[in-house]
Amino acid sequence: MKKGKFLIGLTLLTALTAGCSTVSKTEPAAPAAGSDSASAAPAQKLDITIGRAFDVNGLDPGFLTENAQVVDNIFDTLVKRDENEQLVPGLATDWKQIDDNTWEFKLREGVKFTNGEPFNAEAVKYSLDRVLDPANNAPTASYVSTIKEVQAVDDYTVHVVTKNPDPLIPTRFNRYPTEIVPPKYTEEAGQEKFAQEPIGTGPYKFVSWDKGSSVVLEANPDYWGEQPAVEKVTFRSIPEASTRVSALLNGEVDIVTAVSPEDRSKIESSSTAKLSAVERAGNTVYVGFKTDVKPFDDPKVRQALNYAIDVKSIVDKVLQGSAVQTNSLIGPKDFGYAGEPDGYDYDPEKAKRLLAEAGYPDGFSATLDTVSWYIKNTDVAQVIAEQLKAVGVTIKVNNVESSVYRTLVPAGKQSDLYVLGWSSTNTLDADAAIYAILRSGESYSTYSNPDVDAKLDEARSTTDEERRKQLYQEIQGEVIQDAPRIFLYQENQYYGVSDRLNWEGRIDGSIPVSTITAGAADGK
Amino acid sequence: MKRYLLKRLGQALLAVLGAATIVFFIIRLSGDPARLMLPPEASEEQVSALRESLGFNQPLWMQYLDYLRNLLTGDLGHSLYYKESALKLVLERMPATIDLAVFAILIAVTFGLLAGILSAYKKNSWIDYIVNAWIFLTQSLPVFWIGIVLIMVFAVRLHLLPTSGNRGLESIVLPAVTLAAYPIAPIARTMRASLLEVMDKGYMVTSRAQGFSKRRRVFKRGLKNAFLPVITVISLEFGVMIAGAVVTETIFSWPGVGQLIIQGVGNRDFPLVQASILVVSTIYIAITLITDLIYHRLDPRIKLQ
């Protein structure tokens, strides 16, 4: 009688094993990532895995719709940034401004792409031209839209001619989309193939891309610079933040990006990995006002709301130190940063007084839009609502889905109060940090101040560094006084790094694999 | 039979077209992807230039007609983000989703049937109660939570299995168990109810009168007759799994269709979402059609018309 029962079990078991075999057939035979960590001696070349929140969409630096964390290892830019974010020579050995609208770059000689094509001025011109060509609709063309033309003067000299004086040209040649691609191969391959099988001059060569899962690179033996310690690197996509950290703790990956602040303690208490905190590498988050809408057209109201918020308690209690309170518009590593300015202390009484002066002794009500892609933003918005209630302002918190928010705000369709975060990682310059959110007429700006506008415009078109610094300081003073936003904080970013490696997260968010070296725990 | 098949195929085509149409309009409700494809600094001119080049400035009905026309020629368009054939992208991801679904459904069927038969066989005994409580529990726990707990226990604490990814047989265990947790309940419940119902049927009473033992009655006669409704439940659950287990695939970074769809929706990658839904709904409809045919095979009294 038992036979019957067993029979069912047996059938299912066979089916199960049959399932197994079909599955295993589709598996790549690659060994598990990080499995060699135990046996690797310190002198040996490293094979590492980096867990990121998403897979790449394509590997063509000229047409990225995301950051350049992966492609920056395959390609080189003319200018690079060292560990201190200082501009240093890359494919260009030297650069200088030769007149108002022209910059001259001297190129490194003897560099070859990994397919043997020579790197020269033609390659630079080609790389920029294809991004600048309006017909190609390059997503990040706006990053180089100040450039009128690139001229190949001789094999190793390039002139970059701008439409107006642009102080940021060297910086622009450090970030995508200005990576240099091989003209012949790029032309032959076409856009679709190039994005899948890229060829560059960088420290790493492309090996494979398993869509939705991982990208594998290996060291370029003919690299013009120093040979890196990491021989092979796999970028794995692990979208769920807690899984990413678990994969690090389980030894499957060696570095994880975008560690959620809640998971910090898991890494800190681990015996196999360490937390790399990059203070103020994230967005500067604020509550924007629509300054042309009542009652927010009155600076007194805007100042009052600033006095009503206890930012320190939000940073300490809600964010648990995963951000830094700041009144500065500009991040500490950005050009134009001038220390931490004074702003608004927490003073609810003063807030009430200002509201009364502005004609709102009994407060008012408003809606605050928030979106969940900033750290704990819904919680932060709730606390802001409670603190404003204490001064008589009733706030309704409206949580908006992130892709909707990204189209709502530039269209000006958000509520009169809205949370926004902005970062300057593209250029590490004050211009990137504030122009788009303060200049009247810009899609993300809900502020209009002719004096600030004039200063913003001048600062982006003069190459006199001292003058620029001065302008940004004046803008900052004026904006703090005028309060087109509630000043909040700048987010930190966290990485988890296995003890077998030595690496610290960077403020520009890049992961130059060639800077990763073996850590103390390797070879244990 | 032939006429039946033709009719069903016709219905299936209509259903797929319906799904494609609904998806076409729904994803366009929240606006077009031009803004999302460009960095925030991009100017309005750049946004509208891109919008124009992608054809999203056309009236909706014209976009829809274009879509239908391309559909007829088998062209599902190019993904806006990946810049390659949307259909190819979906088909590349399909094997991973099928692997996961097959594994999960086998686990769910094994445990669901065992639980259902056991609890019917020992109706109102403590086994029945325990099985029911267990089913209730697995059905009420969020998939998300189950997945994370499994990772914490089997990967981080015990180091037995990998946390995520599709690399080697061992990596399928945790996502498959997570995905199987929910459908165990409906399979077990249907099995139990159907078996109990069959046990009361006249022929079962007769066989009891003939002196057959309970075991023999249940396993020789009862089960065979009780399976039909269970097959429907299993095939529907399997269909749902094939449609991409969005949550499970995300937690375990399983590179299947579910993740592709979620990513496509987030980016408003219209061609990609449309192609995914088209493929998935075709498979779903095929599964229900096959189920009907199996039904007919198992119980010839059921007429296919």
Side-chain angles (χ1 to χ4, degrees), chain B:
Chain B
M1 181 77 174
K2 208 168 168 187
R3 239 184 86 198
Y4 170 78
L5 268 181
L6 277 176
K7 195 172 137 196
R8 280 299 305 260
L9 278 178
Q11 283 173 345
L13 270 179
L14 271 182
V16 169
L17 187 70
T21 306
I22 292 173
V23 169
F24 182 92
F25 288 103
I26 279 189
I27 49 172
R28 279 167 173 76
L29 279 182
S30 58
D32 70 60
R35 219 344 132 183
L36 302 187
M37 292 179 73
L38 296 171
E41 293 88 348
S43 64
E44 272 312 313
E45 295 81 72
Q46 272 173 315
V47 177
S48 37
L50 180 64
R51 184 170 293 142
E52 207 164 303
S53 82
L54 296 172
F56 293 127
N57 57 333
Q58 307 266 15
L60 216 50
W61 61 268
M62 249 168 88
Q63 292 183 41
Y64 181 62
L65 286 184
D66 273 347
Y67 171 64
L68 288 185
R69 198 174 308 125
N70 291 333
L71 202 58
L72 282 179
T73 61
D75 177 8
L76 295 186
H78 271 58
S79 155
L80 304 177
Y81 277 74
Y82 285 96
K83 302 276 188 328
E84 45 177 322
S85 155
L87 182 63
K88 185 173 152 243
L89 282 167
V90 179
L91 295 180
E92 274 172 2
R93 297 290 190 93
M94 213 59 222
T97 290
I98 292 176
D99 286 349
L100 184 58
V102 167
F103 241 80
I105 201 74
L106 287 174
I107 295 173
V109 166
T110 311
F111 286 95
L113 291 188
L114 278 179
I117 295 168
L118 207 62
S119 64
Y121 191 68
K122 302 264 182 195
K123 189 182 150 195
N124 293 337
S125 70
W126 59 271
I127 295 182
D128 188 16
Y129 296 139
I130 289 180
V131 166
N132 271 313
W134 176 252
I135 287 172
F136 185 69
L137 195 70
T138 53
Q139 198 170 18
S140 13
L141 289 174
V143 177
F144 195 78
W145 188 85
I146 296 177
I148 288 181
V149 167
L150 287 177
I151 290 176
M152 289 311 293
V153 174
F154 290 97
V156 179
R157 287 256 179 279
L158 302 173
H159 296 293
L160 283 177
L161 296 162
T163 55
S164 55
N166 178 11
R167 26 191 71 216
L169 186 58
E170 51 185 22
S171 64
I172 205 171
V173 178
L174 294 184
V177 170
T178 306
L179 190 56
Y182 182 85
I184 287 179
I187 293 173
R189 252 190 290 107
T190 317
M191 187 70 243
R192 180 179 186 272
S194 169
L195 192 54
L196 287 177
E197 195 192 315
V198 166
M199 295 300 281
D200 286 340
K201 285 269 163 67
Y203 54 86
M204 294 301 283
V205 179
T206 313
S207 97
R208 187 174 178 184
Q210 284 168 334
F212 288 110
S213 73
K214 186 178 176 191
R215 279 186 188 173
R216 193 168 173 119
R217 282 188 331 258
V218 170
F219 291 108
K220 277 262 162 168
R221 309 248 160 103
L223 275 183
K224 216 169 164 185
N225 288 296
F227 262 134
L228 279 184
V230 184
I231 285 170
T232 313
V233 174
I234 293 173
S235 79
L236 286 179
E237 292 294 340
F238 185 62
V240 170
M241 286 176 177
I242 288 287
V246 173
V247 177
T248 307
E249 286 187 6
T250 306
I251 301 173
F252 292 97
S253 60
W254 189 261
V257 179
Q259 263 204 68
L260 194 68
I261 294 179
I262 241 338
Q263 194 191 347
V265 171
N267 288 334
R268 297 199 197 155
D269 193 337
F270 296 163
L272 186 57
V273 177
Q274 283 160 196
S276 309
I277 301 292
L278 202 71
V279 170
V280 159
S281 54
T282 306
I283 294 179
Y284 189 91
I285 287 166
I287 290 175
T288 50
L289 182 58
I290 291 168
T291 312
D292 284 358
L293 296 178
I294 293 177
Y295 240 79
H296 172 66
R297 194 62 187 253
L298 288 182
D299 187 352
R301 285 172 304 178
I302 295 171
K303 290 273 184 297
L304 297 175
Q305 16 183 262

Side-chain angles (χ1 to χ4, degrees), chain A residues 56-75:
Chain A
V56 295
N57 288 322
L59 293 156
D60 183 341
F63 295 86
L64 293 177
T65 44
E66 37 153 356
N67 68 41
Q69 265 171 352
V70 176
V71 293
D72 268 346
N73 292 292
I74 306 173
F75 296 90

Side-chain angles (χ1 to χ4, degrees), chain A residues 48 50-52 68-70 72-73 175 204 233 235 255-257 495 503-506 508-516:
Chain A
I48 68 164
I50 298 174
R52 303 192 318 143
Q69 265 171 352
V70 176
D72 268 346
N73 292 292
R175 295 288 283 184
Y204 289 88
V233 55
F235 289 92
I255 292 177
V256 288
T257 67
Y495 297 82
W503 186 73
E504 289 291 332
R506 290 169 57 112
D508 63 7
S510 68
I511 307 179
V513 178
S514 56
T515 64
I516 300 172

Side-chain angles (χ1 to χ4, degrees), chain A residues 248-499:
Chain A
L248 173 73
L249 300 182
N250 197 27
E252 292 165 56
V253 301
D254 305 297
I255 292 177
V256 288
T257 67
V259 171
S260 119
E262 286 96 347
D263 289 334
R264 282 176 294 178
S265 58
K266 276 196 219 158
I267 298 178
E268 278 169 332
S269 61
S270 142
S271 56
T272 56
K274 52 196 177 276
L275 185 76
S276 169
V278 195
E279 204 165 85
R280 301 182 67 173
N283 286 304
T284 301
V285 177
Y286 60 91
V287 174
F289 296 111
K290 280 193 172 167
T291 56
D292 55 347
V293 176
K294 267 191 183 318
F296 306 114
D297 55 344
D298 185 342
K300 275 192 179 151
V301 171
R302 305 197 296 256
Q303 288 162 353
L305 266 50
N306 268 289
Y307 282 118
I309 304 297
D310 184 0
V311 181
K312 189 174 179 314
S313 81
I314 291 176
V315 167
D316 290 348
K317 301 204 177 97
V318 184
L319 301 176
Q320 296 180 323
S322 57
V324 177
Q325 178 180 5
T326 180
N327 299 309
S328 175
L329 301 169
I330 299 155
K333 291 276 179 174
D334 292 343
F335 177 90
Y337 178 71
E340 289 298 304
D342 287 335
Y344 299 87
D345 297 328
Y346 176 49
D347 190 345
E349 287 313 313
K350 195 165 182 182
K352 281 187 204 162
R353 210 160 55 235
L354 279 166
L355 282 176
E357 278 173 35
Y360 300 96
D362 303 321
F364 52 84
S365 29
T367 303
L368 170 63
D369 281 352
T370 165
V371 61
S372 53
W373 79 58
Y374 307 119
I375 301 173
K376 290 197 163 183
N377 211 255
T378 319
D379 297 347
V380 171
Q382 294 294 353
V383 173
I384 289 175
E386 274 168 44
Q387 294 183 348
L388 289 180
K389 198 165 180 104
V391 298
V393 177
T394 313
I395 296 289
K396 185 179 152 238
V397 174
N398 176 32
N399 197 7
V400 186
E401 195 274 328
S402 29
S403 74
V404 175
Y405 204 59
R406 276 166 68 192
T407 46
L408 212 64
V409 179
K413 289 183 185 156
Q414 74 274 42
S415 298
D416 301 344
L417 286 173
Y418 60 96
V419 175
L420 199 65
W422 207 255
S423 85
S424 57
T425 49
N426 180 41
T427 54
L428 294 183
D429 188 278
D431 183 71
I434 61 176
Y435 191 92
I437 48 174
L438 290 177
R439 175 71 169 84
S440 62
E442 286 288 307
S443 333
Y444 281 85
S445 167
T446 51
Y447 181 50
S448 171
N449 179 333
D451 192 48
V452 168
D453 285 355
K455 284 176 175 156
L456 282 168
D457 287 341
E458 188 189 340
R460 71 159 35 179
S461 57
T462 172
T463 45
D464 177 349
E465 294 197 349
E466 288 313 308
R467 175 70 184 144
R468 294 191 72 221
K469 282 182 189 165
Q470 186 200 341
L471 284 165
Y472 285 125
Q473 221 169 331
E474 287 174 22
I475 292 170
Q476 178 145 293
E478 228 169 298
V479 169
I480 290 176
Q481 184 58 38
D482 209 16
R485 58 160 88 169
I486 300 177
F487 294 86
L488 295 176
Y489 46 79
Q490 186 171 13
E491 294 176 344
N492 302 335
Q493 276 183 359
Y494 300 98
Y495 297 82
V497 182
S498 154
D499 281 338

